[in-house]
Amino acid sequence: MTLVLALIGCYLLGSIPTAYLLVKRVKRVDIRTVGSGNVGTTNVMRTVGWWAGVGVLVVDVLKGVVASGLVPHLIPAAAGPGAPLLLGLAAVLGHDFPVYIGFRGGRGV
């Protein structure tokens, strides 16, 4: 049961739409309506600039690092041999299909 809750938490962590939030804050525009329409680093670089794209990339990578590297240490019951892989995958799926913005997210690269 603990692993299931950790998976849900990592999915929700991955679902935080970094690109969407940053572009909305900086440009006051929905990233899904400009450029390629993708909620990802490359579209942010094209729309806002390289510095914003690097920021999105760093935060998105950190979400995966927290999910696969930190959560198994915080929740020992979720630290089985395959748990880090599953938790990281949950974060990537959250990034690709974010619940907060209608399941249209990044590409998971």
Side-chain angles (χ1 to χ4, degrees), residues 26-101:
V26 172
K27 286 269 199 175
R28 299 200 183 346
V29 67
D30 186 343
I31 189 74
R32 299 171 294 178
T33 63
V34 295
S36 67
N38 192 343
V39 183
T41 298
T42 304
N43 200 24
V44 171
M45 285 182 164
R46 288 185 201 126
T47 305
V48 180
W50 67 269
W51 58 271
V54 169
V56 168
L57 177 66
V58 167
V59 173
D60 285 349
V61 167
L62 284 175
K63 291 189 298 186
V65 167
V66 167
S68 64
L70 187 60
V71 170
H73 294 293
L74 297 176
I75 306 171
L85 179 64
L86 290 174
L87 295 168
L89 180 61
V92 172
L93 288 173
H95 176 76
D96 291 347
F97 307 103
V99 65
Y100 306 119
I101 55 173

